[in-house]
């Protein structure tokens, strides 16, 4: 390529380069113009927004501060900043000085502001200054922090901000919320959210949660009526039923504020009080005293059943709550009030008692029907008057009877010869008789002045010096131990030589009775009687010895006489007939004398309690048969018929065979003696009414009436033979067997002696160990 071509090509390239540069420059110019126009438009919008923000901030009396790198600058609200500085007590309205004052006001405020500046955490609080309050709201935007300050006048400083009010309600333990006209929740505090289990009010609305449907209806009703509404509802909170008082108040600008108050304790207390009142009323209805309670208006507010019964008033009329005066009027009409000549004055005095605040004295009402009532009046704690009527008619009668009985007892004690004194459990002197005063030679005035046990002892000590005795008595009086209060007695000797017996007896009311008696003469008499008894014992011993000796001395020659008489009787024809008759009489007399001696010895043994029965089974029929056989020969000799009458069921009896046979022998001998020739003696034995009756009947001349009372006495004279011990011995032997003997006789009609013996003999011998 030539040089020209190169030059032309370079020129063409330069022209193209210039043309491209011109086109690029034109394009850049157009782009810059478009960007400039956009920036201008944005600047205009920002200016409008800034002017609007400035206008809104100034319109709401707020100062807007921006914090950049720790330094505060005023964004808007110069006048509001001046008001905030004045409220905080600052002389100059410098943004930084205001921020420093906010941080100095409270450590919590300083911590919140540092959290805003350093970490961008939003805050809201109120600062109180010497001349007002400043409401602070902080927000972060990028690296800048913004503070909006609103000053409150001094008179408005007490009004909380919306944020503080919300925080205050949020800290309440009782649920509170703001609802719309249809009852839907718009805002709720933390207690309400915790109760329904929601995080926010929006969450609760989305999930359809509600504290109580009745509360929602109450809020809707308050919104529709535009009036405050209240109600009490039982709501379940925290798993427990709680009584909540609901207050729904329409708010300015719309919505209803609902606040709750937990009145569970008050409701439970009210229910408990109601139950207590009902129980109290029920208790009063079961007591015998008539109770009436009148309120402060003097109307009957309560009466028990006894009140209506006491005055015979109609329950329906009493349920109308008549006044006190109306009740008095009705009772007067029915003549059931105490008689008075000036009823109006008496009624006014009764009603005037409502003005008396203290306790009033009791009254006694004497009614026309003879009853006596005690009236107790006392102010009622709830206002009004409480009246209690007690019918003491019977009590007064009992008291009168008690006083009369006490006087009778006192008069009775005064007539006793023993000295009697009564002490209470507290040692006080309760009662003494006149004999006590005479016994200790004291006056009634001295006893009244003594008053207690110690003083009475001081009076009695000069005549009875034994202090151990008085201490023991004091224990009997004052010691509550049952063993110490057991009855006791003893004897002491006084200083004047008397022998005194004493005894203490506990009384049912806890008192102790002590009695003293002068037994000096009795002891002397006892000594004399003891000496006499000793002498009698000696005489009795001598008598037994004499009887034994005499019996022995008599038996020795008697045995000789009987023996020789029997020997002579065996000589047969060697002795003439008349001599044999004399021998028979001698032998019979000797035998009779021997039996009499045996009787005397038996009687002596019985008197000395020394006779012992040999108890065993006795066949009654055998006993009766053997007795009849022993006396058959003598009965035949006297031409007397001897017969037996024995019951078929006579059986056995417990007794001494020998002594029972001895008893029957004496009865048969007596019967033969009383029966003339051609007469009859009957031995009978029957069992009846738990006993066996052994009888001996004769057809002789009988026993005269004046002798029957003494027929069993000893040594009763008879027409012939013996010292009169046989029937006395019969009675003694039967009684030793636990039985008794009876006589039935009429003159010239014979006689019947009956021995009543128990089936199982009760031994009453002096030697009781032998009776089984």
């Amino acid at each position: 390529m030539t040089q020209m071509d190169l030059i032309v090509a370079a020129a063409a390239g330069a022209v193209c380069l210039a043309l491209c540069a011109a086109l690029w420059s034109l394009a850049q110019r157009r782009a810059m113009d478009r960007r400039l126009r956009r920036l201008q438009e944005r600047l205009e919008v920002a200016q409008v927004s800034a002017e609007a923000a400035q206008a809104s901030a100034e319109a709401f009396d707020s100062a807007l501060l921006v914090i950049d790198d720790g330094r505060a600058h005023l964004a808007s609200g110069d006048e509001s900043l001046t008001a905030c500085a004045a409220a905080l007590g600052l002389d100059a309205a410098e943004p930084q000085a205001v921020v420093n004052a906010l941080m100095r006001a409270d450590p919590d405020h300083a911590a919140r502001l540092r959290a805003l500046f350093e970490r961008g955490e939003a805050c809201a609080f109120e600062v109180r200054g010497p001349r007002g309050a400043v409401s602070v709201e902080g927000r972060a935007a990028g690296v800048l922090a913004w503070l909006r300050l609103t000053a409150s006048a001094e008179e408005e400083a007490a009004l909380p901000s919306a944020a503080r009010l919300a925080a205050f309600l949020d800290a309440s333990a009782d649920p509170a919320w703001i609802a719309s006209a249809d009852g839907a929740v718009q805002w709720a505090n933390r207690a309400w959210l915790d109760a329904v289990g929601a995080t926010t009010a929006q969450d609760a609305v989305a999930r359809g949660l509600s504290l109580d449907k009745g509360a929602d209806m109450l809020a809707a009703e308050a919104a529709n009526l535009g009036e405050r509404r209240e109600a009490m509802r039982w709501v379940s909170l925290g798993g427990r039923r709680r009584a909540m008082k609901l207050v729904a108040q329409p708010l300015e600008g719309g919505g209803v504020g609902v606040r709750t108050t937990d009145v569970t304790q008050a409701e439970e207390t009210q229910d408990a009080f109601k139950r207590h009142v009902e129980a109290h009323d029920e208790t009063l209805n079961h007591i015998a005293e008539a109770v009436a309670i009148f309120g402060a208006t003097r109307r009957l507010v309560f009466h028990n059943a006894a009140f209506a019964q006491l005055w015979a008033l109609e329950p329906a009329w009493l349920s109308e709550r008549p006044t006190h005066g109306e009740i008095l009027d009705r009772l007067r009409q029915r003549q059931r009030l105490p008689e008075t000549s000036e009823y109006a004055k008496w009624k006014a005095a009764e009603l005037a008692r409502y003005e008396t605040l203290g306790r009033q004295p009791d009254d006694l009402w004497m009614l026309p029907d003879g009853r006596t009532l005690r009236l107790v009046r006392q102010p009622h704690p709830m206002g009004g008057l409480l009246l209690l009527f007690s019918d003491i008619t019977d009590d007064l009668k009992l008291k009168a009877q008690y006083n009369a009985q006490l006087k009778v007892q006192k008069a009775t004690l005064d007539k006793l010869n023993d000295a009697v004194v009564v002490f209470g459990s507290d040692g006080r002197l309760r009662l003494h008789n006149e004999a006590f005063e005479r016994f200790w030679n004291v006056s009634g005035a001295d006893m009244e002045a003594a008053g207690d046990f110690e003083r009475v002892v001081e009076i009695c000590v000069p005549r009875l010096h034994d202090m151990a005795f008085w201490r023991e008595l004091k224990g009997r009086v004052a010691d509550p131990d049952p063993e110490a209060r057991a009855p006791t007695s003893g004897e002491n000797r006084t200083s004047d030589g008397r022998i005194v017996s004493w005894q203490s007896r506990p009384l049912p009311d806890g008192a102790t009775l002590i009695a003293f008696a002068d037994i000096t003469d009795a002891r002397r008499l006892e000594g004399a009687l003891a000496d006499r008894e000793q002498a009698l014992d000696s005489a009795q011993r001598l008598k037994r010895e004499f009887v034994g000796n005499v019996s022995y001395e008599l038996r020795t020659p008697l045995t000789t006489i009987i023996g020789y008489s029997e020997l002579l009787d065996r000589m047969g024809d060697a002795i003439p007939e008349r001599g044999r008759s004399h021998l028979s009489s001698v032998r019979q007399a000797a035998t009779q004398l021997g039996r009499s001696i045996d009787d005397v010895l038996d009687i002596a043994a019985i008197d000395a309690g020394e006779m012992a029965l040999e108890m065993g089974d006795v066949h009654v029929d055998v006993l009766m048969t053997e007795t009849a056989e022993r006396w058959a020969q003598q009965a035949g000799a006297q031409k007397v018929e001897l017969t037996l009458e024995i019951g078929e069921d006579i059986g056995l009896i417990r007794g001494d065979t020998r002594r029972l046979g001895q008893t029957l022998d004496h009865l048969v001998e007596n019967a033969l003696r009383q029966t003339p020739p051609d007469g009859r003696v009957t031995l009978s034995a029957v069992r009846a009414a738990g006993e066996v009756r052994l009888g001996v009947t004769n057809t002789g001349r009988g026993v005269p009436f004046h002798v029957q009372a003494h027929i069993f006495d000893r040594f009763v004279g008879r027409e012939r033979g013996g010292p009169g011990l046989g029937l006395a011995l019969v009675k003694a032997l039967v009684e030793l067997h636990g039985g008794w003997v009876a006589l039935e006789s009429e003159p010239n009609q014979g006689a019947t002696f009956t021995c009543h013996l128990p089936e199982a003999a009760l031994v009453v011998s002096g030697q009781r160990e032998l009776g089984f």
Side-chain angles (χ1 to χ4, degrees):
M1 179 176 286
T2 63
Q3 185 176 6
M4 184 56 73
D5 292 335
L6 292 171
I7 295 172
V8 172
V15 173
C16 290
L17 180 61
L19 183 60
C20 290
L23 292 174
W24 177 81
S25 176
L26 181 62
Q28 289 294 324
R29 176 68 180 271
R30 289 179 179 176
M32 289 299 293
D33 289 340
R34 288 195 300 273
R35 184 177 179 183
L36 180 58
R37 285 194 298 272
R38 286 198 298 272
L39 289 176
Q40 288 177 348
E41 291 175 356
R42 291 180 61 185
L43 179 59
E44 292 176 357
V45 172
Q47 289 178 349
V48 172
S49 299
E51 291 176 356
Q54 179 74 17
S56 64
E58 293 177 352
F60 287 97
D61 295 331
S62 298
L64 188 62
L65 301 182
V66 60
I67 311 301
D68 184 10
D69 195 19
R71 298 296 300 174
H73 305 280
L74 178 64
S76 63
D78 188 17
E79 295 181 358
S80 297
L81 182 62
T82 302
C84 292
L88 296 175
L90 301 177
D91 296 334
E94 293 292 336
Q96 190 62 44
V98 171
V99 172
N100 293 338
L102 294 177
M103 297 183 71
R104 288 194 304 270
D106 190 281
D108 180 66
H109 300 165
R112 294 190 180 192
L113 290 176
R114 290 192 188 95
L116 173 65
F117 300 157
E118 297 172 1
R119 298 186 296 276
E121 296 179 3
C123 63
F125 55 88
E126 187 176 83
V127 179
R128 291 189 176 276
R131 297 187 183 88
V134 177
S135 178
V136 181
E137 294 184 43
R139 298 289 186 273
V143 298
L144 300 179
W146 296 84
L147 291 178
R148 184 169 69 179
L149 309 179
T150 304
S152 300
E154 186 175 358
E155 60 274 7
E156 297 176 354
L159 298 177
S161 61
R164 290 188 66 202
L165 183 59
F168 171 74
L169 293 177
D170 217 26
S172 175
D174 295 328
W177 69 97
I178 298 176
S180 60
D182 59 355
V185 176
Q186 295 179 337
W187 176 90
N189 66 350
R190 177 53 52 188
W192 189 93
L193 296 175
D194 292 342
V196 300
T199 56
T200 62
Q202 291 75 15
D203 178 36
V205 172
R207 294 164 57 188
L209 302 178
S210 174
L211 181 68
D212 182 70
K213 295 299 181 183
D216 297 341
M217 295 177 61
L218 183 70
E221 182 180 355
N224 294 330
L225 298 178
E227 296 178 354
R228 173 190 176 101
R229 309 296 291 174
E230 296 182 2
M232 200 283 292
R233 300 278 298 175
W234 285 91
V235 181
S236 178
L237 294 179
R240 180 185 174 189
R241 283 178 55 81
R242 312 288 297 182
M244 307 297 292
K245 181 181 180 182
L246 305 176
V247 179
Q249 177 66 49
L251 304 177
E252 293 184 5
V256 178
V258 183
R259 57 185 173 87
T260 63
T261 303
D262 189 348
V263 294
T264 305
Q265 185 175 2
E267 287 294 321
E268 292 176 349
T269 302
Q270 185 175 1
D271 290 343
F273 177 74
K274 183 178 179 181
R275 291 193 298 270
H276 176 74
V277 171
E278 292 175 352
H280 179 264
D281 294 348
E282 185 67 19
T283 301
L284 292 179
N285 273 322
H286 284 83
I287 65 175
E289 286 76 10
V291 179
I293 301 176
F294 294 91
T297 59
R298 302 183 182 180
R299 285 192 171 275
L300 182 67
V301 296
F302 171 81
H303 71 282
N304 62 354
F307 179 82
Q309 184 178 2
L310 175 67
W311 299 112
L313 295 174
E314 298 79 4
W317 182 72
L318 291 175
S319 64
E320 297 177 1
R321 300 179 61 185
T323 64
H324 194 173
E326 291 172 348
I327 292 178
L328 292 177
D329 291 339
R330 176 160 292 197
L331 293 178
R332 181 173 181 266
Q333 292 173 1
R334 300 182 179 182
Q335 296 183 352
R336 294 172 186 165
L337 289 179
E339 296 292 344
T340 178
S341 58
E342 298 181 0
Y343 171 72
K345 184 178 180 180
W346 180 85
K347 175 183 176 181
E350 284 293 316
L351 299 180
R353 298 182 185 275
Y354 284 87
E355 309 300 329
T356 305
L357 300 179
R359 181 176 177 83
Q360 304 177 29
D362 299 348
D363 276 352
L364 289 180
W365 283 11
M366 310 296 293
L367 303 186
D369 57 4
R371 291 182 297 171
T372 302
L373 304 182
R374 183 180 66 184
L375 171 59
V376 178
R377 305 181 186 88
Q378 63 181 21
H380 196 268
M382 306 301 292
L385 194 63
L386 181 144
L387 303 181
L388 187 145
F389 297 90
S390 301
D391 190 346
I392 61 173
T393 307
D394 295 337
D395 294 342
L396 293 178
K397 292 181 180 178
L398 290 175
K399 187 175 182 180
Q401 294 175 0
Y402 172 78
N403 291 334
Q405 185 177 7
L406 191 62
K407 292 180 180 179
V408 171
Q409 292 177 352
K410 183 67 169 63
T412 303
L413 290 178
D414 287 339
K415 300 302 180 183
L416 295 178
N417 293 325
D418 291 348
V420 177
V421 63
V422 177
F423 294 97
S425 58
D426 56 354
R428 301 293 299 175
L429 176 64
R430 290 192 179 180
L431 189 65
H432 73 282
N433 63 353
E434 296 176 356
F436 187 86
E437 300 173 6
R438 294 192 302 269
F439 189 88
W440 297 103
N441 194 22
V442 296
S443 64
D446 293 338
M447 292 298 297
E448 294 297 332
D452 58 12
F453 185 84
E454 297 292 343
R455 298 293 299 278
V456 172
V457 170
E458 292 177 3
I459 295 175
C460 300
V461 160
R463 293 169 181 80
L464 183 55
H465 307 313
D466 189 356
M467 295 305 299
F469 162 73
W470 294 114
R471 283 193 294 271
E472 180 183 357
L473 274 189
K474 183 177 181 180
R476 302 288 177 182
V477 171
D479 194 343
D481 188 359
E483 294 183 1
R485 288 181 50 78
T488 185
S489 60
E491 294 183 7
N492 279 89
R493 186 176 293 274
T494 62
S495 59
D496 54 5
R498 293 180 297 169
I499 300 176
V500 176
S501 72
W502 59 271
Q503 57 180 336
S504 69
R505 294 292 183 269
L507 300 180
D509 61 350
T512 303
L513 180 144
I514 303 174
F516 298 90
D518 186 351
I519 60 172
T520 307
D521 296 336
R523 288 292 177 263
R524 292 174 182 171
L525 181 59
E526 288 176 2
L529 291 176
D531 295 340
R532 183 176 180 182
E533 183 179 2
Q534 186 177 2
L536 290 175
D537 290 341
S538 300
Q540 188 71 19
R541 184 175 65 256
L542 292 175
K543 182 182 74 172
R544 289 197 300 271
E545 293 175 356
F546 172 76
V547 171
N549 292 331
V550 169
S551 299
Y552 176 78
E553 295 295 334
L554 291 177
R555 281 182 179 278
T556 300
L558 186 61
T559 303
T560 302
I561 294 173
I562 294 174
Y564 279 111
S565 63
E566 291 178 352
L567 180 61
L568 291 173
D569 189 40
R570 293 192 185 98
M571 294 178 65
D573 295 338
I575 298 175
E577 182 66 26
R578 187 173 182 181
R580 285 196 298 271
S581 176
H582 292 334
L583 284 174
S584 178
S585 298
V586 169
R587 188 173 55 191
Q588 184 177 359
T591 303
Q592 180 66 33
L593 180 59
R595 291 183 58 193
S596 297
I597 293 173
D598 291 338
D599 291 345
V600 169
L601 291 176
D602 289 341
I603 286 293
I606 292 173
D607 290 343
E610 297 175 353
M611 177 171 284
L613 298 179
E614 297 178 2
M615 303 300 292
D617 291 336
V618 178
H619 294 269
V620 179
D621 55 347
V622 175
L623 175 66
M624 301 297 289
T625 302
E626 291 178 350
T627 302
E629 291 176 353
R630 284 196 301 271
W631 292 95
Q633 183 178 359
Q634 183 175 344
Q638 296 181 201
K639 298 182 180 180
V640 174
E641 182 183 359
L642 184 62
T643 61
L644 280 174
E645 295 180 0
I646 302 174
E648 296 180 358
D649 59 343
I650 194 63
L652 301 176
I653 186 175
R654 291 288 294 177
D656 187 331
T657 304
R658 186 170 69 87
R659 296 299 180 183
L660 291 177
Q662 183 181 0
T663 300
L664 291 175
D665 287 342
H666 280 292
L667 292 177
V668 173
E669 180 185 8
N670 179 73
L672 291 175
R673 187 183 300 115
Q674 301 296 327
T675 305
D678 300 329
R680 185 176 65 255
V681 174
T682 304
L683 278 70
S684 63
V686 295
R687 183 183 296 270
E691 65 179 8
V692 173
R693 300 170 185 170
L694 306 181
V696 177
T697 304
N698 65 78
T699 58
R701 59 182 179 273
V703 181
F705 290 119
H706 67 280
V707 179
Q708 291 183 16
H710 306 284
I711 192 65
F712 295 106
D713 293 347
R714 302 176 186 180
F715 307 112
V716 175
R718 295 196 294 255
E719 293 182 359
R720 64 179 185 274
L725 288 176
L727 294 180
L729 184 59
V730 167
K731 178 184 178 186
L733 290 175
V734 172
E735 289 178 351
L736 281 178
H737 283 80
W740 54 284
V741 62
L743 166 65
E744 296 179 9
S745 176
E746 292 185 7
N748 301 319
Q749 296 295 325
T752 299
F753 290 86
T754 305
C755 299
H756 297 263
L757 297 172
E759 293 179 345
L762 175 63
V763 180
V764 294
S765 171
Q767 300 183 9
R768 298 181 183 274
E769 65 275 6
L770 299 178
F772 297 98

